Amino acid sequence: MENAEINDERIARVSDLLEQIKSVDEMISLHEDKGDQKGLMLVQYKYRREQFLGELKEKLQELNINPTDLVAA
């Protein structure tokens, strides 16, 4: 998949956002494992995650995909 060329900027951004969320989740987990539940870094990573999720929601809606479409029936 890494060699696949993506012509639609929205799809490329969705892919990038998913990678960003994965990276942020790893950092959140690292800080939570340290017991740093209220540390500044953890709060910042959680904030960034929410920002990425918000943008992901917008990009999916541009592709005519609503969050409710993703819920398993």
Side-chain angles (χ1 to χ4, degrees), residues 14-58:
V14 166
S15 177
D16 181 56
L17 286 166
L18 291 172
E19 289 180 21
Q20 294 291 335
I21 291 167
K22 180 183 175 201
S23 294
V24 168
D25 283 346
E26 290 171 1
M27 295 307 295
I28 289 171
S29 179
L30 177 71
H31 284 278
E32 286 177 340
D33 289 348
K34 289 181 177 179
D36 191 14
Q37 296 297 322
K38 295 188 188 238
L40 179 61
M41 293 300 292
L42 181 60
V43 170
Q44 289 177 337
Y45 284 122
K46 287 183 176 183
Y47 175 78
R48 288 182 67 192
R49 185 178 196 280
E50 291 301 316
Q51 296 298 307
F52 290 142
L53 287 173
E55 185 179 348
L56 178 60
K57 180 180 175 183
E58 290 173 12

Side-chain angles (χ1 to χ4, degrees), residues 56-58 60-61 65-72:
L56 178 60
K57 180 180 175 183
E58 290 173 12
L60 289 174
Q61 287 175 339
I65 300 171
N66 293 310
T68 55
D69 296 337
L70 303 174
V71 178

